[in-house]
Amino acid sequence: MTKMKSILKTLAALFLAASAWAGTAVFTLAHAVNDLPGGPAVNQLNLHPPVTKIAEEQHWLHWFMLIVCSVIFVGVFSVMFYSIWKHRKSRGHQAATFHESVVVEVVWTVIPFLIVILMALPATKVVVAMKDTTNADLTIKVTGMQWKWGYDYIKGEGEGIGFVSTLDNAQREMSNSGKPPATDDYLLKVDNPLVVPVGKKIRIITTATDVIHAFAVPSFGIKQDAIPGFVRDTWFRAETVGDFHGQCMELCGKEHAYMPIHVKVVSAADYSTWVAGEQKKLAAKMDDPTKVWALDDIMKRGEKVYASTCITCHQANGKGAGPIKPLDGAAVVLDADKNKQIAVVLNGQNNGAMPSWKSLSDTDIAAVVSYTKNHWSNKTGQVVQPADVLALRK
């Protein structure tokens, strides 16, 4: 009887294991994805395929170090296990009684030293090359902020262009609903990718507005911390046109996983076309700060600005989430002194939890403040003009 119970328990355990495996298989098939070019691969075991010389050298170093360590491991433990087995006491062997051996000590000092030098020389060469940011064709300032990236082209073709890149709002909504789609770029799609020309040396200067972030794109072989109050730099030269993905690789808060990086590498001609388009957009934003807007017109513009900058944290319904304060019914929004809300948008607050949006034009800030003051349940009737923002910006 006892034996029968044991058999039944075993069969039950096997059944549960099979059920769990089947359930996992069905879930995996339901959410099947493919390799993402320039990003992660399904069941990936190795580093991302390199598209820069530095990344190629990192791959070579990775395999070189692995092979050297494996050879040492196999050699040392083979000798050790052979010696233990061959000279075991049960076969009548007696331990040697010598006290020291100058030859052995010299050998086990010199050989590891030579191995370390053999490994250090190529590694040092790559590290030095990784830090050589001189003679860059294009310099881009990358600013990490909870939880998005700011890109400012500060030297080279495209100088003066700047924008903020955030996780695609549709993907955020899918994540919030708990129904992730079976897409290859889930939580890696952004609204504004970083665009760079192929074959050009790109210097990346990193900093942050709130906490420590890290700008990393595995296909380029780069990872550089972005630290508030400090400036760090790195560089890459992509040799292949395409889309390449990375993420913030420093634990930076509750939405650390929602801070993707998308770098679009294009041909020189396509890059020039993109720069021209962005410069036209910048010119269009240079509105007359003395223009007086009607409420309906500035509300329409404010809705677009809100959708591109504010909706990530404050949501479409203006309710906020967690530590993010709501805008619907907020005291600062309903306050008759409109300068209070303008100051918050310009300068941020709560140690960067609400970032500064000085990068927006006076008209865009006036539009988004007017929009929040007159949307949802907020019906203040107040209209903020660009001149109001300009006065506080000085």
PDB file of all heavy atoms in Angstrom, residues 260-284:
ATOM      1  N   PRO A 260      14.042  53.532 -22.846  1.00  0.00           N
ATOM      2  CA  PRO A 260      14.802  52.935 -23.943  1.00  0.00           C
ATOM      3  C   PRO A 260      15.611  53.966 -24.730  1.00  0.00           C
ATOM      4  O   PRO A 260      15.363  55.174 -24.660  1.00  0.00           O
ATOM      5  CB  PRO A 260      13.706  52.318 -24.826  1.00  0.00           C
ATOM      6  CG  PRO A 260      12.522  53.195 -24.604  1.00  0.00           C
ATOM      7  CD  PRO A 260      12.600  53.624 -23.156  1.00  0.00           C
ATOM      8  N   ILE A 261      16.566  53.451 -25.477  1.00  0.00           N
ATOM      9  CA  ILE A 261      17.398  54.266 -26.365  1.00  0.00           C
ATOM     10  C   ILE A 261      17.262  53.698 -27.774  1.00  0.00           C
ATOM     11  O   ILE A 261      17.408  52.491 -27.968  1.00  0.00           O
ATOM     12  CB  ILE A 261      18.878  54.228 -25.935  1.00  0.00           C
ATOM     13  CG1 ILE A 261      19.029  54.771 -24.512  1.00  0.00           C
ATOM     14  CG2 ILE A 261      19.757  55.006 -26.909  1.00  0.00           C
ATOM     15  CD1 ILE A 261      20.356  54.412 -23.876  1.00  0.00           C
ATOM     16  N   HIS A 262      16.975  54.552 -28.718  1.00  0.00           N
ATOM     17  CA  HIS A 262      16.876  54.136 -30.112  1.00  0.00           C
ATOM     18  C   HIS A 262      17.772  55.061 -30.933  1.00  0.00           C
ATOM     19  O   HIS A 262      17.537  56.271 -30.988  1.00  0.00           O
ATOM     20  CB  HIS A 262      15.424  54.224 -30.590  1.00  0.00           C
ATOM     21  CG  HIS A 262      15.243  53.853 -32.033  1.00  0.00           C
ATOM     22  ND1 HIS A 262      14.039  53.971 -32.694  1.00  0.00           N
ATOM     23  CD2 HIS A 262      16.109  53.370 -32.973  1.00  0.00           C
ATOM     24  CE1 HIS A 262      14.166  53.583 -33.947  1.00  0.00           C
ATOM     25  NE2 HIS A 262      15.429  53.230 -34.140  1.00  0.00           N
ATOM     26  N   VAL A 263      18.807  54.492 -31.543  1.00  0.00           N
ATOM     27  CA  VAL A 263      19.715  55.264 -32.395  1.00  0.00           C
ATOM     28  C   VAL A 263      19.483  54.832 -33.841  1.00  0.00           C
ATOM     29  O   VAL A 263      19.611  53.652 -34.167  1.00  0.00           O
ATOM     30  CB  VAL A 263      21.189  55.046 -32.007  1.00  0.00           C
ATOM     31  CG1 VAL A 263      22.096  55.903 -32.894  1.00  0.00           C
ATOM     32  CG2 VAL A 263      21.409  55.384 -30.538  1.00  0.00           C
ATOM     33  N   LYS A 264      19.148  55.786 -34.670  1.00  0.00           N
ATOM     34  CA  LYS A 264      18.927  55.519 -36.093  1.00  0.00           C
ATOM     35  C   LYS A 264      20.155  56.002 -36.856  1.00  0.00           C
ATOM     36  O   LYS A 264      20.454  57.201 -36.889  1.00  0.00           O
ATOM     37  CB  LYS A 264      17.664  56.234 -36.575  1.00  0.00           C
ATOM     38  CG  LYS A 264      17.326  55.964 -38.047  1.00  0.00           C
ATOM     39  CD  LYS A 264      16.069  56.722 -38.472  1.00  0.00           C
ATOM     40  CE  LYS A 264      14.831  56.094 -37.885  1.00  0.00           C
ATOM     41  NZ  LYS A 264      14.551  54.744 -38.427  1.00  0.00           N
ATOM     42  N   VAL A 265      20.873  55.065 -37.456  1.00  0.00           N
ATOM     43  CA  VAL A 265      22.063  55.387 -38.252  1.00  0.00           C
ATOM     44  C   VAL A 265      21.648  55.455 -39.719  1.00  0.00           C
ATOM     45  O   VAL A 265      21.115  54.478 -40.261  1.00  0.00           O
ATOM     46  CB  VAL A 265      23.171  54.337 -38.050  1.00  0.00           C
ATOM     47  CG1 VAL A 265      24.415  54.710 -38.864  1.00  0.00           C
ATOM     48  CG2 VAL A 265      23.526  54.208 -36.568  1.00  0.00           C
ATOM     49  N   VAL A 266      21.888  56.599 -40.341  1.00  0.00           N
ATOM     50  CA  VAL A 266      21.460  56.819 -41.725  1.00  0.00           C
ATOM     51  C   VAL A 266      22.649  57.252 -42.576  1.00  0.00           C
ATOM     52  O   VAL A 266      23.726  57.579 -42.059  1.00  0.00           O
ATOM     53  CB  VAL A 266      20.342  57.884 -41.792  1.00  0.00           C
ATOM     54  CG1 VAL A 266      19.110  57.435 -41.021  1.00  0.00           C
ATOM     55  CG2 VAL A 266      20.836  59.224 -41.254  1.00  0.00           C
ATOM     56  N   SER A 267      22.451  57.269 -43.887  1.00  0.00           N
ATOM     57  CA  SER A 267      23.503  57.715 -44.791  1.00  0.00           C
ATOM     58  C   SER A 267      23.729  59.213 -44.624  1.00  0.00           C
ATOM     59  O   SER A 267      22.899  59.925 -44.051  1.00  0.00           O
ATOM     60  CB  SER A 267      23.104  57.411 -46.240  1.00  0.00           C
ATOM     61  OG  SER A 267      21.971  58.180 -46.615  1.00  0.00           O
ATOM     62  N   ALA A 268      24.850  59.706 -45.147  1.00  0.00           N
ATOM     63  CA  ALA A 268      25.179  61.124 -45.020  1.00  0.00           C
ATOM     64  C   ALA A 268      24.102  61.991 -45.673  1.00  0.00           C
ATOM     65  O   ALA A 268      23.714  63.042 -45.130  1.00  0.00           O
ATOM     66  CB  ALA A 268      26.543  61.400 -45.648  1.00  0.00           C
ATOM     67  N   ALA A 269      23.608  61.559 -46.840  1.00  0.00           N
ATOM     68  CA  ALA A 269      22.579  62.328 -47.541  1.00  0.00           C
ATOM     69  C   ALA A 269      21.280  62.353 -46.751  1.00  0.00           C
ATOM     70  O   ALA A 269      20.632  63.404 -46.610  1.00  0.00           O
ATOM     71  CB  ALA A 269      22.348  61.740 -48.926  1.00  0.00           C
ATOM     72  N   ASP A 270      20.884  61.193 -46.215  1.00  0.00           N
ATOM     73  CA  ASP A 270      19.644  61.133 -45.431  1.00  0.00           C
ATOM     74  C   ASP A 270      19.778  61.947 -44.139  1.00  0.00           C
ATOM     75  O   ASP A 270      18.797  62.548 -43.672  1.00  0.00           O
ATOM     76  CB  ASP A 270      19.296  59.685 -45.101  1.00  0.00           C
ATOM     77  CG  ASP A 270      18.797  58.916 -46.312  1.00  0.00           C
ATOM     78  OD1 ASP A 270      18.420  59.561 -47.307  1.00  0.00           O
ATOM     79  OD2 ASP A 270      18.812  57.666 -46.280  1.00  0.00           O
ATOM     80  N   TYR A 271      20.993  61.959 -43.578  1.00  0.00           N
ATOM     81  CA  TYR A 271      21.196  62.742 -42.359  1.00  0.00           C
ATOM     82  C   TYR A 271      21.042  64.233 -42.651  1.00  0.00           C
ATOM     83  O   TYR A 271      20.395  64.960 -41.882  1.00  0.00           O
ATOM     84  CB  TYR A 271      22.575  62.467 -41.774  1.00  0.00           C
ATOM     85  CG  TYR A 271      22.857  63.269 -40.517  1.00  0.00           C
ATOM     86  CD1 TYR A 271      22.219  62.966 -39.326  1.00  0.00           C
ATOM     87  CD2 TYR A 271      23.731  64.352 -40.551  1.00  0.00           C
ATOM     88  CE1 TYR A 271      22.444  63.711 -38.181  1.00  0.00           C
ATOM     89  CE2 TYR A 271      23.975  65.105 -39.412  1.00  0.00           C
ATOM     90  CZ  TYR A 271      23.329  64.786 -38.230  1.00  0.00           C
ATOM     91  OH  TYR A 271      23.546  65.531 -37.095  1.00  0.00           O
ATOM     92  N   SER A 272      21.598  64.684 -43.763  1.00  0.00           N
ATOM     93  CA  SER A 272      21.466  66.098 -44.133  1.00  0.00           C
ATOM     94  C   SER A 272      20.004  66.463 -44.355  1.00  0.00           C
ATOM     95  O   SER A 272      19.550  67.556 -43.969  1.00  0.00           O
ATOM     96  CB  SER A 272      22.281  66.394 -45.396  1.00  0.00           C
ATOM     97  OG  SER A 272      23.673  66.188 -45.159  1.00  0.00           O
ATOM     98  N   THR A 273      19.251  65.545 -44.957  1.00  0.00           N
ATOM     99  CA  THR A 273      17.816  65.776 -45.169  1.00  0.00           C
ATOM    100  C   THR A 273      17.088  65.872 -43.835  1.00  0.00           C
ATOM    101  O   THR A 273      16.217  66.731 -43.641  1.00  0.00           O
ATOM    102  CB  THR A 273      17.210  64.647 -46.018  1.00  0.00           C
ATOM    103  OG1 THR A 273      17.888  64.587 -47.282  1.00  0.00           O
ATOM    104  CG2 THR A 273      15.728  64.863 -46.248  1.00  0.00           C
ATOM    105  N   TRP A 274      17.437  64.982 -42.908  1.00  0.00           N
ATOM    106  CA  TRP A 274      16.814  65.006 -41.581  1.00  0.00           C
ATOM    107  C   TRP A 274      17.138  66.309 -40.854  1.00  0.00           C
ATOM    108  O   TRP A 274      16.262  66.917 -40.229  1.00  0.00           O
ATOM    109  CB  TRP A 274      17.295  63.813 -40.761  1.00  0.00           C
ATOM    110  CG  TRP A 274      16.776  63.790 -39.356  1.00  0.00           C
ATOM    111  CD1 TRP A 274      15.561  63.349 -38.933  1.00  0.00           C
ATOM    112  CD2 TRP A 274      17.458  64.259 -38.179  1.00  0.00           C
ATOM    113  NE1 TRP A 274      15.443  63.506 -37.569  1.00  0.00           N
ATOM    114  CE2 TRP A 274      16.588  64.052 -37.080  1.00  0.00           C
ATOM    115  CE3 TRP A 274      18.720  64.819 -37.954  1.00  0.00           C
ATOM    116  CZ2 TRP A 274      16.946  64.404 -35.786  1.00  0.00           C
ATOM    117  CZ3 TRP A 274      19.074  65.168 -36.656  1.00  0.00           C
ATOM    118  CH2 TRP A 274      18.186  64.960 -35.587  1.00  0.00           C
ATOM    119  N   VAL A 275      18.400  66.738 -40.936  1.00  0.00           N
ATOM    120  CA  VAL A 275      18.804  67.989 -40.282  1.00  0.00           C
ATOM    121  C   VAL A 275      18.002  69.161 -40.839  1.00  0.00           C
ATOM    122  O   VAL A 275      17.502  70.006 -40.084  1.00  0.00           O
ATOM    123  CB  VAL A 275      20.321  68.230 -40.464  1.00  0.00           C
ATOM    124  CG1 VAL A 275      20.684  69.659 -40.060  1.00  0.00           C
ATOM    125  CG2 VAL A 275      21.120  67.237 -39.638  1.00  0.00           C
ATOM    126  N   ALA A 276      17.851  69.204 -42.150  1.00  0.00           N
ATOM    127  CA  ALA A 276      17.086  70.296 -42.766  1.00  0.00           C
ATOM    128  C   ALA A 276      15.645  70.301 -42.272  1.00  0.00           C
ATOM    129  O   ALA A 276      15.073  71.366 -41.983  1.00  0.00           O
ATOM    130  CB  ALA A 276      17.127  70.156 -44.288  1.00  0.00           C
ATOM    131  N   GLY A 277      15.051  69.124 -42.159  1.00  0.00           N
ATOM    132  CA  GLY A 277      13.683  69.028 -41.658  1.00  0.00           C
ATOM    133  C   GLY A 277      13.558  69.491 -40.220  1.00  0.00           C
ATOM    134  O   GLY A 277      12.604  70.194 -39.859  1.00  0.00           O
ATOM    135  N   GLU A 278      14.519  69.096 -39.373  1.00  0.00           N
ATOM    136  CA  GLU A 278      14.482  69.503 -37.968  1.00  0.00           C
ATOM    137  C   GLU A 278      14.693  71.001 -37.824  1.00  0.00           C
ATOM    138  O   GLU A 278      14.076  71.650 -36.960  1.00  0.00           O
ATOM    139  CB  GLU A 278      15.552  68.745 -37.175  1.00  0.00           C
ATOM    140  CG  GLU A 278      15.280  67.266 -37.024  1.00  0.00           C
ATOM    141  CD  GLU A 278      13.984  66.990 -36.281  1.00  0.00           C
ATOM    142  OE1 GLU A 278      13.800  67.541 -35.176  1.00  0.00           O
ATOM    143  OE2 GLU A 278      13.151  66.240 -36.809  1.00  0.00           O
ATOM    144  N   GLN A 279      15.553  71.568 -38.659  1.00  0.00           N
ATOM    145  CA  GLN A 279      15.781  73.012 -38.589  1.00  0.00           C
ATOM    146  C   GLN A 279      14.535  73.788 -39.007  1.00  0.00           C
ATOM    147  O   GLN A 279      14.264  74.868 -38.468  1.00  0.00           O
ATOM    148  CB  GLN A 279      16.984  73.385 -39.456  1.00  0.00           C
ATOM    149  CG  GLN A 279      18.312  72.913 -38.856  1.00  0.00           C
ATOM    150  CD  GLN A 279      19.495  73.150 -39.758  1.00  0.00           C
ATOM    151  OE1 GLN A 279      19.355  73.319 -40.973  1.00  0.00           O
ATOM    152  NE2 GLN A 279      20.692  73.161 -39.179  1.00  0.00           N
ATOM    153  N   LYS A 280      13.782  73.243 -39.954  1.00  0.00           N
ATOM    154  CA  LYS A 280      12.520  73.881 -40.336  1.00  0.00           C
ATOM    155  C   LYS A 280      11.543  73.854 -39.161  1.00  0.00           C
ATOM    156  O   LYS A 280      10.809  74.820 -38.916  1.00  0.00           O
ATOM    157  CB  LYS A 280      11.916  73.175 -41.538  1.00  0.00           C
ATOM    158  CG  LYS A 280      12.632  73.460 -42.858  1.00  0.00           C
ATOM    159  CD  LYS A 280      11.947  72.750 -44.016  1.00  0.00           C
ATOM    160  CE  LYS A 280      12.658  73.036 -45.330  1.00  0.00           C
ATOM    161  NZ  LYS A 280      12.012  72.333 -46.474  1.00  0.00           N
ATOM    162  N   LYS A 281      11.531  72.733 -38.429  1.00  0.00           N
ATOM    163  CA  LYS A 281      10.651  72.644 -37.266  1.00  0.00           C
ATOM    164  C   LYS A 281      11.053  73.669 -36.208  1.00  0.00           C
ATOM    165  O   LYS A 281      10.194  74.294 -35.567  1.00  0.00           O
ATOM    166  CB  LYS A 281      10.706  71.237 -36.672  1.00  0.00           C
ATOM    167  CG  LYS A 281      10.103  70.157 -37.546  1.00  0.00           C
ATOM    168  CD  LYS A 281      10.231  68.793 -36.871  1.00  0.00           C
ATOM    169  CE  LYS A 281       9.695  67.674 -37.752  1.00  0.00           C
ATOM    170  NZ  LYS A 281       9.872  66.343 -37.102  1.00  0.00           N
ATOM    171  N   LEU A 282      12.372  73.819 -36.009  1.00  0.00           N
ATOM    172  CA  LEU A 282      12.844  74.793 -35.028  1.00  0.00           C
ATOM    173  C   LEU A 282      12.443  76.207 -35.436  1.00  0.00           C
ATOM    174  O   LEU A 282      12.031  77.023 -34.606  1.00  0.00           O
ATOM    175  CB  LEU A 282      14.369  74.705 -34.890  1.00  0.00           C
ATOM    176  CG  LEU A 282      14.922  73.468 -34.173  1.00  0.00           C
ATOM    177  CD1 LEU A 282      16.447  73.471 -34.205  1.00  0.00           C
ATOM    178  CD2 LEU A 282      14.438  73.413 -32.734  1.00  0.00           C
ATOM    179  N   ALA A 283      12.573  76.482 -36.736  1.00  0.00           N
ATOM    180  CA  ALA A 283      12.199  77.810 -37.224  1.00  0.00           C
ATOM    181  C   ALA A 283      10.707  78.063 -37.029  1.00  0.00           C
ATOM    182  O   ALA A 283      10.285  79.178 -36.689  1.00  0.00           O
ATOM    183  CB  ALA A 283      12.568  77.944 -38.696  1.00  0.00           C
ATOM    184  N   ALA A 284       9.912  77.009 -37.213  1.00  0.00           N
ATOM    185  CA  ALA A 284       8.465  77.153 -37.041  1.00  0.00           C
ATOM    186  C   ALA A 284       8.096  77.442 -35.589  1.00  0.00           C
ATOM    187  O   ALA A 284       7.082  78.080 -35.302  1.00  0.00           O
ATOM    188  CB  ALA A 284       7.761  75.894 -37.521  1.00  0.00           C
TER     189      ALA A 284
END
